[in-house]
């Protein structure tokens, strides 16, 4: 994977790892509500996200941090937008920049 694309994927992976840490039933329901809208609109990845969101929390946490092609694609269209506070998001992004330096 070319450098810039891999950097973006690693940043997305780190952001989803932070989401996984704070994952609870309310956050899953909020994401599921978003995915239901996506399904009604016929958006790609809706079925895959619906399947993941119906799994036990621990399975979902593990999926969010999996570094494989399926999850790379799914993270590019994530129903967890807004799950992190702006401060949490900035902290994760700063840490990924430091780790690349």
């Amino acid at each position: 994977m070319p450098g810039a694309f891999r950097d973006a994927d690693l940043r997305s992976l780190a952001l989803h790892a932070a989401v996984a840490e704070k994952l609870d039933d309310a956050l899953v329901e909020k994401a599921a509500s978003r995915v239901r809208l996506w399904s009604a609109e016929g958006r790609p990845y809706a079925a895959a996200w619906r399947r993941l969101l119906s799994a036990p929390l621990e399975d979902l946490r593990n999926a969010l941090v999996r570094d494989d092609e399926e999850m790379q694609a799914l993270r590019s269209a994530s129903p967890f937008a807004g799950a992190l506070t702006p401060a949490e998001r900035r902290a994760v992004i700063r840490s990924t920049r430091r780790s690349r330096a």
Side-chain angles (χ1 to χ4, degrees):
M1 178 180 297
F5 293 114
R6 185 61 181 160
D7 287 349
D9 183 58
L10 290 174
R11 185 173 46 251
S12 179
L13 179 60
L15 290 165
H16 282 82
V19 169
E21 288 179 16
K22 63 186 289 184
L23 204 57
D24 61 15
D25 290 335
L27 193 52
V28 171
E29 180 48 42
K30 189 172 183 178
S33 177
R34 184 170 285 147
V35 168
R36 283 191 291 275
L37 291 173
W38 291 355
S39 292
E41 296 169 353
R43 289 204 190 175
Y45 303 124
W49 274 115
R50 193 171 45 252
R51 177 181 48 82
L52 285 172
L53 293 169
S54 67
L57 278 179
E58 195 57 33
D59 292 348
L60 178 55
R61 282 187 186 101
N62 290 334
L64 289 177
V65 298
R66 241 181 28 230
D67 192 15
D68 60 27
E69 278 188 39
E70 177 190 25
M71 286 312 300
Q72 288 169 356
L74 289 177
R75 283 190 297 268
S76 74
S78 176
F80 291 103
L84 299 176
T85 66
E88 290 169 328
R89 183 173 165 72
R90 281 191 303 273
V92 169
I93 291 170
R94 271 194 307 274
S95 73
T96 60
R97 286 184 187 142
R98 280 193 303 271
S99 68
R100 288 193 324 256

